[in-house]
Amino acid sequence: MEKKTVVLYPGVGVGHLAPMLELAKAFLRHGGDQVDVAIAVFEPPVYANGFASTVARAKASNASVALHVLSPPPPPPAASNDAEPDVPLARMLRFLRATNAPLRDFLRALSSSSSSSRCVQAIVLDMFCADALDVAAELGLPAYFFFPSGTAGLACFLGLPAMRARVGTSFAALGNSAVLSFPGAPPFTVADLAQGLADDGEACKGIIGVAARMPEARGILINSFESLEPRAMWALRDGLCVPDRPTPPVYCVGPRMGQEVRRAPLEIKVCPVTYHRHHQSRGTDIDIHCGREAPPGARVPPAWRPHGEHRCRRRGTGGKRTGEVAL
């Protein structure tokens, strides 16, 4: 039987590599002898604390996962505006763009060196690796994203481009006390935004660009489970977070952490994919069916509606608060 190889690309940083390792183990556990997993990592220029030791431990304790440490690309050029502070988030995004060429070379080499019983079937990208979508398209590989945080975080992340377009100015110009309200997530203030996202600098433009490209993927895997964040899942599946185009299928595969909390009924197989709502089948792909029961003692909300059921778009019924910007 032909094995299907899934390549995982966790970007940079231990916080993104660790949950991707857990995802790799879940793929192997539930894929049986039909799936191989390879992880490609680069030595990061930022957020490097503990990275080398994590890679060493991962290689020692996960012999079934092929972990490839790739040579880093030449340093990307610094920001063109000398007056703008070179924040770590902006440097990370420049570095990830520069990894496209060596990542493409690695995928080509992996495909050419694979035996006749194996083939690279798909690539799973970290949430910040949107530029690697170009590599996947060039090589004809279906691309998925793995969002290592919760569902409400994904709802906000996907809504950033539309929110920025709606306010018509930088978030910082609204004032730190201005409230931003995204479908499926609790409201928060501009002061709560991550460093670099409020001022329309390089980091903000880069993150909004990443968020704008994420819907191009075949699907998004979230490090959460559905009964934990039903409101956010509803917003994502109703298309409220990306109002101007279809949202790709969203799959809960979490929580992925250092030790398994509860096994998810996750199945990986190769078959024609039928997409939710607007999506049409795009041929043979890796179809990922997954879910997770709530941990013991958790309050489980009423049963979710079937994935294929038509859903009307809906907004919150409460009035908007003074100074609140809602998507």
Side-chain angles (χ1 to χ4, degrees):
M1 180 182 295
E2 184 182 54
K3 277 199 172 186
K4 307 301 179 184
T5 297
V6 181
V7 176
L8 310 185
Y9 180 38
V12 297
V14 173
H16 294 253
L17 173 59
M20 196 74 94
L21 282 167
E22 296 303 316
L23 180 65
K25 289 188 282 187
F27 277 10
L28 291 172
R29 182 168 57 248
H30 296 284
D33 58 359
Q34 299 181 39
V35 175
D36 279 339
V37 178
I39 298 180
V41 294
F42 291 90
E43 183 68 30
V46 292
Y47 304 135
N49 291 342
F51 185 81
S53 59
T54 299
V55 169
R57 287 195 304 271
K59 285 186 172 182
S61 59
N62 299 280
S64 56
V65 177
L67 205 158
H68 304 265
V69 180
L70 308 182
S71 300
S80 57
N81 184 1
D82 295 334
E84 180 179 335
D86 193 16
V87 300
L89 185 57
R91 274 184 282 145
M92 181 191 72
L93 293 175
R94 290 199 301 270
F95 176 80
L96 289 174
R97 283 193 292 270
T99 63
N100 266 15
L103 178 65
R104 180 177 59 245
D105 294 341
F106 164 74
L107 292 171
R108 282 176 172 164
L110 185 65
S111 298
S112 63
S113 64
S114 296
S115 66
S116 59
S117 62
R118 288 173 171 81
C119 67
V120 177
Q121 185 72 13
I123 184 168
V124 180
L125 307 172
D126 178 75
M127 58 181 283
F128 291 127
C129 298
D131 288 301
L133 286 168
D134 297 329
V135 176
E138 181 179 343
L139 301 180
L141 289 176
Y144 295 83
F145 279 103
F146 177 50
F147 193 82
S149 300
T151 311
L154 176 63
C156 295
F157 193 77
L158 289 178
L160 276 174
M163 178 65 79
R164 176 58 186 80
R166 170 161 292 193
V167 302
T169 184
S170 69
F171 294 122
L174 300 175
N176 283 340
S177 61
V179 177
L180 304 177
S181 182
F182 292 84
F188 58 90
T189 67
V190 169
D192 296 321
L193 287 170
Q195 181 189 14
L197 287 186
D199 59 5
D200 270 7
E202 182 187 2
C204 179
K205 292 176 181 176
I207 287 297
I208 288 178
V210 167
R213 294 205 64 185
M214 191 174 277
E216 298 175 23
R218 296 289 183 93
I220 303 174
L221 285 63
I222 314 176
N223 194 16
S224 185
F225 55 93
E226 192 159 318
S227 59
L228 178 66
E229 301 179 89
R231 180 174 167 231
M233 284 301 302
W234 194 342
L236 288 166
R237 286 183 174 149
D238 278 2
L240 301 182
C241 306
V242 187
D244 56 344
R245 54 181 168 154
T247 302
V250 174
Y251 307 98
C252 290
V253 297
R256 297 283 129 213
M257 51 185 65
Q259 59 181 1
E260 186 181 17
V261 177
R262 188 135 177 181
R263 181 165 294 187
L266 183 149
E267 178 185 359
I268 304 171
K269 60 183 180 179
V270 179
C271 67
V273 176
T274 302
Y275 281 76
H276 304 162
R277 298 175 64 238
H278 310 284
H279 298 269
Q280 304 295 322
S281 175
R282 299 195 211 174
T284 302
D285 200 349
I286 283 189
D287 192 9
I288 304 174
H289 304 277
C290 44
R292 177 171 288 278
E293 299 177 38
R299 180 181 177 274
V300 181
W304 203 259
R305 293 171 293 174
H307 292 189
E309 179 183 340
H310 175 74
R311 296 175 176 79
C312 297
R313 292 173 176 261
R314 61 181 67 193
R315 303 286 180 181
T317 55
K320 190 171 71 172
R321 291 176 292 181
T322 303
E324 179 176 351
V325 181
L327 183 60

